[in-house]
Amino acid sequence: MFRTSISILLLSAATLSAQIMPPPADQQLAHDIYKQFVEIQSGFTTGSTTPVAEAAAARLKAAGFPDSDIFVGGANPKKANLVVRYHGTGAAKPILLLAHTDVVEAKREDWTTDPFQFIEKDGYFYGRGTGDDKAQAAVWIANLIRYKREGFKPDRDIIVALTADEEGGGPFNGVDWLLKNHRDFIDAELALNEGGWGESDGTRKISNNLQVSEKYVINFRFEVRNKGGHSSIPVADNAIYHLAGALDRLSRFGFPLKTNDVTAAYFGQLARIETGPITADLAKVAEGSQDGMQKVAAARPTWNATLRTTCVATQLEGGHARNALPQLAAANVNCRVLPEDSLEYVQNTLKKVVADDQVSITVVGEVSKSPASAMRPDVLNAVKRATAAEWPGLPVLPTMVMGATDGAYLRRAGIPTYGIQGFFFDRNDIRFHGRDERMGVQSFYEGQAFLYDVVKLLAKSGS
Ligand SMILES: [Zn+2]
């Protein structure tokens, strides 16, 4: 009896606090690489990813990786990528571990701390890129060095690619460049990437999210041209009023609410995680109920964005003088489109909503749509097993993200890609791209341990 209660006590203490942590030396290594990466200014427009790639290459060489397994290069001298290969037996096709090394710009005056100083304060690491995406970049490198030191022999090659220019895409995107110029370096059966993280409510972990698909982006230009005239003699046919009417109708319109395989599974899981009256509606959403979807979409903007394509006005221009009737009025409308909705469908729908042929609606820039990755059982099982080991009882949630990642390039190239990190963020305080970006210190090391397990499980065939 006495012995039993002691073991119960020990067990509950273990469940509460003792996450599996990497060995102290490996924590230190990950920490040092992370700090080094964050302190390199690799802003999308003002910085360079090349020093990050070079720093990673130097770490790998110091750990005994041969030059022949390391590649540094990219679309231009400031936009280098790193690719490193850790050899397995070759029994299965490689796995690719991806992270981007460029960051969104950060202004010192907007921040409490210097965004390009890696600062540990109050249980957090602060700095631009601590969340997006230098933690994962650092962990991939540190864990690869650990596999080598431990003599781990995977059934497939493990490839790590740290790439340029994810933020804003553009002509120097590292994944795009590698696919076009050195596909063999990164060709893989599957890839792991950013895009799926752990959700917490600030105090409690809610779920470990596995991103399987993502919305894609279309920018439309709403434009009205008019011959104009003197403002002292106004006429009804006014470019600004046409545009304003169109945008007003857009603001009151919502695309149809619906689910797909991934989002139905997501809401089904969420019904078991959430508490309160909303749980019944979440369960109804998983079964395809329109009534449930209406209530859930109204309850939280992120749920609304998960259940439908959204389009929102983001920029305005128009008029050329205070005392002239406008000859031009235009707006950018940014759409985040469900994978199953086509460009033509969205454009035709907007035309119907606007219902004014004075307003032209044209696509701005390139549209890149990518398929969802199939929900591979080996990936789901590896993520579930590693989650259960690290955070017993925590559910794994398949998700579709609203933003776009470099996973889109890989999926289009036929490499199924899964967003998984095991880093936890407060869902009410997401700071990616914002000021005072940060990562919980404990969360960083837990994520390191988790990703170590996930990759090890997936790199052994038949697991
Ligand atoms: Zn990112």
Side-chain angles (χ1 to χ4, degrees):
M1 191 64 204
F2 187 63
R3 285 172 59 143
T4 315
S5 32
I6 284 179
S7 60
I8 287 169
L9 264 177
L10 287 175
L11 185 70
S12 56
T15 340
L16 285 177
S17 60
Q19 272 81 23
I20 303 159
M21 295 293 268
D26 293 293
Q27 287 186 38
Q28 187 65 47
L29 177 66
H31 168 277
D32 294 350
I33 298 172
Y34 191 24
K35 174 176 161 64
Q36 189 177 16
F37 284 2
V38 169
E39 293 188 345
I40 294 170
Q41 302 214 9
S42 58
F44 174 64
T45 48
T46 58
S48 170
T49 59
T50 303
V52 183
E54 286 168 348
R59 295 271 181 187
L60 291 160
K61 284 176 192 175
F65 283 81
D67 286 6
S68 55
D69 289 337
I70 300 170
F71 168 81
V72 174
N76 83 32
K78 290 176 79 178
K79 304 289 187 184
N81 312 289
L82 168 111
V83 183
V84 56
R85 181 176 298 256
Y86 180 65
H87 292 275
T89 63
K93 257 190 101 175
I95 180 170
L96 171 64
L97 311 179
L98 183 70
H100 66 88
T101 55
D102 61 310
V103 293
V104 170
E105 303 302 334
K107 288 196 188 128
R108 175 66 187 96
E109 60 268 29
D110 297 340
W111 280 52
T112 311
T113 58
D114 182 339
F116 294 101
Q117 290 279 313
F118 184 76
I119 291 166
E120 183 177 343
K121 196 176 65 155
D122 311 325
Y124 292 92
F125 294 125
Y126 285 84
R128 173 56 90 223
T130 47
D132 182 13
D133 181 27
K134 286 178 169 175
Q136 193 156 24
V139 162
W140 289 147
I141 297 295
N143 283 354
L144 203 66
I145 290 172
R146 182 176 166 195
Y147 295 136
K148 184 171 176 62
R149 194 192 65 236
E150 291 174 346
F152 173 54
K153 204 68 189 153
D155 291 333
R156 47 172 111 242
D157 291 359
I158 302 173
I159 304 167
V160 172
L162 306 187
T163 57
D165 283 23
E166 189 271 344
E167 304 294 356
F172 308 123
N173 179 277
V175 176
D176 190 34
W177 186 84
L178 284 164
L179 284 168
K180 284 175 180 153
N181 295 280
H182 296 285
R183 165 104 193 206
D184 54 321
F185 289 1
I186 59 165
D187 205 21
E189 187 173 328
L190 76 162
L192 305 185
N193 185 30
E194 65 172 348
W197 58 83
E199 237 176 277
S200 91
D201 64 5
T203 50
R204 188 176 61 98
K205 288 186 175 73
I206 296 167
S207 60
N208 193 16
N209 296 356
L210 170 65
Q211 185 243 31
V212 186
S213 71
E214 55 196 36
K215 285 179 138 181
Y216 68 103
V217 184
I218 311 175
N219 283 293
F220 288 101
R221 181 173 168 87
F222 284 20
E223 186 180 283
V224 188
R225 297 262 176 193
N226 189 284
K227 65 180 179 352
H230 201 287
S231 62
S232 61
I233 315 162
V235 293
D237 182 22
N238 178 301
I240 289 177
Y241 294 160
H242 277 287
L243 181 69
L247 295 179
D248 179 52
R249 288 188 285 282
L250 176 66
S251 76
R252 284 182 278 113
F253 171 74
F255 277 84
L257 294 162
K258 56 187 173 188
T259 55
N260 54 37
D261 286 355
V262 178
T263 58
Y266 168 79
F267 284 109
Q269 276 285 355
L270 212 57
R272 284 178 228 152
I273 296 168
E274 293 285 329
T275 50
I278 197 73
T279 53
D281 295 315
L282 290 166
K284 280 162 74 185
V285 169
E287 284 150 22
S289 149
Q290 273 296 318
D291 175 58
M293 288 186 217
Q294 293 283 358
K295 288 184 179 134
V296 165
R300 198 173 288 171
T302 51
W303 290 343
N304 177 59
T306 305
L307 286 167
R308 55 161 48 119
T309 290
T310 61
C311 291
V312 62
T314 53
Q315 287 180 311
L316 273 178
E317 61 178 283
H320 56 283
R322 282 187 185 165
N323 55 2
L325 299 176
Q327 292 175 337
L328 167 77
N332 186 78
V333 172
N334 181 262
C335 300
R336 303 297 172 124
V337 187
L338 291 173
E340 54 272 25
D341 284 352
S342 70
L343 185 155
E344 295 70 30
Y345 163 74
V346 176
Q347 191 164 19
N348 289 336
T349 305
L350 290 177
K351 279 181 182 155
K352 277 183 214 150
V353 170
V354 164
D356 180 348
D357 43 16
Q358 293 284 306
V359 182
S360 73
I361 299 176
T362 53
V363 178
V364 181
E366 262 184 58
V367 176
S368 45
K369 187 174 190 264
S370 74
S373 300
M375 191 67 263
R376 287 174 62 125
D378 58 344
V379 173
L380 193 58
N381 287 341
V383 169
K384 280 184 173 169
R385 279 176 64 183
T387 301
E390 191 67 29
W391 307 286
L394 188 73
V396 170
L397 206 56
T399 62
M400 174 189 73
V401 295
M402 302 339 141
T405 71
D406 278 344
Y409 291 99
L410 295 175
R411 290 187 185 119
R412 270 200 302 284
I415 303 172
T417 302
Y418 302 87
I420 185 75
Q421 292 193 310
F423 303 128
F424 281 76
F425 298 95
D426 180 347
R427 66 177 174 192
N428 300 310
D429 190 12
I430 296 289
R431 301 186 182 191
F432 308 148
H433 299 194
R435 65 192 288 276
D436 295 345
E437 184 178 347
R438 68 184 186 179
M439 161 81 75
V441 171
Q442 172 79 11
S443 182
F444 175 70
Y445 297 120
E446 287 177 17
Q448 183 189 359
F450 167 77
L451 290 173
Y452 172 87
D453 281 351
V454 169
V455 171
K456 229 174 153 172
L457 288 167
L458 282 170
K460 280 281 179 195
S461 62
S463 57

